[in-house]
Amino acid sequence: MPATPATPVPKVPDDMPYAGFRAFIDAHDDFLILSHIDPDGDALGSSLGVYWALRGLGKRAVVANESPVPANLVFLPGASEIRLTRDLQAQRRAVFVLDCSSIDRVGPAGMALVAPDAHVACVDHHAGSDGFGNPRLVNVDASATAELIHEILEDYGLPITPEIAAALYTGIASDTGAFRFRNTTPRVLRLAARLVERGADPSRTAESLFGRKSAASLRVLGLALASLESRADGKVSALTISRAMFDEAKAAPEDADGIVQYAQTVNGARVGVLLQETAPGEVRISFRSDGTVDVNLVAGRFGGGGHRNAAGARLRGDLNVVRESVLGALEQAVNGGPPAPRG
């Protein structure tokens, strides 16, 4: 019995410069692939999808990030090959910058690896992208940057190997919250099915992204939940993790990945926020929204960014001072006013 042909996955509607990416790839043999600090499944999934595609063409490529690979992403094929940007020295003239609304989101060590005359390609799906990159593919209607990477590779005619499928499926599953968020479209579900046909493992991906937790992560989760506080008549829900709490739990900042979702699930909360004191005088902020508040705008006031429903920022300062400033901005946002000015 002949095999049933796969249903084509429609492209995200937009004027897409595929020819520019083909020319970019064909013109170079040695690539650097960067994504944003504190990478998530979409950042590293997209990066590794490009990595395996370039390797399949016989190109040299290195994936690098300012932050270590999170524990829930070490299962990805090629994750052990990802380098820290601070450990690299040679500047590159062909650079992919993925899942970043501005090139400085790769961090200062990553920026130092981009040669002054570098040819930089940008692929992203965040609002507020600042226009860098040529070729450049930015589409906020895409569920994930990985969705756009698939389109580029498909247009090029590259086969979707099991490694590429696993990487891109992880990016999509991560940014759709395991297909629970509002950006879960019929198009992305068709793409997910195709990637499973090509070798992605939905069960292993879901278990790695959202299932298994270390003992340290559970200890710090308990301390974080005990810090729960509400503002704006319950419309803002906040969790805080101080350095002392990390020490008590014998945990590291990466053990707090995903904790912000507990703040957003409190009954009546429109916005959840997690504040982590990752080092003395350094605070990482994670925002989640139910869709009624644009937390990307709030994060932007603090030098960060992301999406309408999920965003982040990093600030220097005292944890309590930063918390009051951030919660004040969120109170204004949920009550219909502008976010409080930065600083």
Side-chain angles (χ1 to χ4, degrees):
M1 181 175 179
T4 302
T7 302
V9 178
K11 297 173 181 176
V12 180
D14 205 342
D15 180 18
M16 303 238 179
Y18 299 113
F21 283 91
R22 175 182 290 272
F24 171 65
I25 293 169
D26 289 346
H28 300 280
D29 293 312
D30 190 8
F31 293 84
L32 174 66
I33 305 166
L34 300 172
S35 57
H36 58 78
I37 295 172
D38 301 323
D40 55 9
D42 191 26
L44 294 190
S46 296
S47 297
L48 288 169
V50 171
Y51 169 81
W52 287 114
L54 293 173
R55 288 283 302 275
L57 289 169
K59 310 279 187 177
R60 295 186 301 276
V62 61
V63 178
N65 197 278
E66 184 132 327
S67 308
V69 176
N72 66 343
L73 296 175
V74 297
F75 78 99
L76 283 170
S80 62
E81 303 295 318
I82 297 174
R83 306 285 301 279
L84 289 170
T85 48
R86 64 174 176 266
D87 292 339
L88 300 176
Q89 295 181 346
Q91 291 188 324
R92 305 297 178 103
R93 297 188 62 252
V95 184
F96 274 96
V97 176
L98 307 180
D99 208 36
C100 294
S101 57
S102 61
I103 194 170
D104 60 0
R105 292 278 289 139
V106 304
M111 291 283 290
L113 297 174
V114 181
D117 60 345
H119 196 176
V120 177
C122 167
V123 186
D124 186 34
H125 71 129
H126 293 91
S129 184
D130 68 4
F132 79 94
N134 181 24
R136 166 181 166 80
L137 173 51
V138 176
N139 193 326
V140 298
D141 292 326
S143 67
T145 295
E147 185 177 351
L148 301 176
I149 296 298
H150 178 268
E151 294 186 357
I152 291 169
L153 301 185
E154 189 173 59
D155 182 81
Y156 195 103
L158 294 172
I160 303 300
T161 64
E163 294 85 1
I164 294 172
L168 299 185
Y169 182 92
T170 297
I172 291 167
S174 174
D175 263 23
T176 60
F179 308 99
R180 294 180 296 116
F181 297 162
R182 294 170 187 250
N183 59 348
T184 302
T185 62
R187 178 183 60 246
V188 79
L189 290 171
R190 285 190 288 268
L191 174 54
R194 172 172 287 191
L195 294 173
V196 172
E197 291 171 346
R198 300 298 190 272
D201 185 336
S203 177
R204 185 184 184 196
T205 302
E207 181 76 0
S208 297
L209 286 178
F210 309 109
R212 306 297 293 179
K213 297 292 183 182
S214 68
S217 69
L218 293 177
R219 287 193 296 266
V220 80
L221 170 62
L223 295 174
L225 292 177
S227 76
L228 179 67
E229 61 180 304
S230 296
R231 298 286 182 92
D233 297 322
K235 294 190 288 290
V236 175
S237 180
L239 299 172
T240 303
I241 307 175
S242 66
R243 284 306 308 163
M245 293 161 71
F246 277 120
D247 291 342
E248 180 181 347
K250 297 182 175 58
E254 54 264 29
D255 292 312
D257 288 346
I259 287 179
V260 65
Q261 67 181 325
Y262 292 93
Q264 202 271 317
T265 58
V266 174
N267 283 336
R270 293 166 56 190
V271 177
V273 61
L274 171 66
L275 299 104
Q276 304 175 57
E277 189 180 21
T278 56
E282 295 183 8
V283 183
R284 177 182 173 186
I285 311 158
S286 301
F287 301 93
R288 294 294 184 272
S289 169
D290 66 357
T292 63
V293 178
D294 188 344
V295 291
N296 177 52
L297 293 179
V298 181
R301 294 284 180 163
F302 297 97
H307 307 283
R308 178 181 180 85
N309 294 347
R314 284 178 176 263
L315 285 176
R316 293 196 62 83
D318 177 79
L319 175 61
N320 292 325
V321 173
V322 170
R323 183 176 66 238
E324 288 306 310
S325 180
V326 169
L327 293 181
L330 288 173
E331 284 187 271
Q332 290 198 24
V334 299
N335 287 323
R342 184 179 179 183

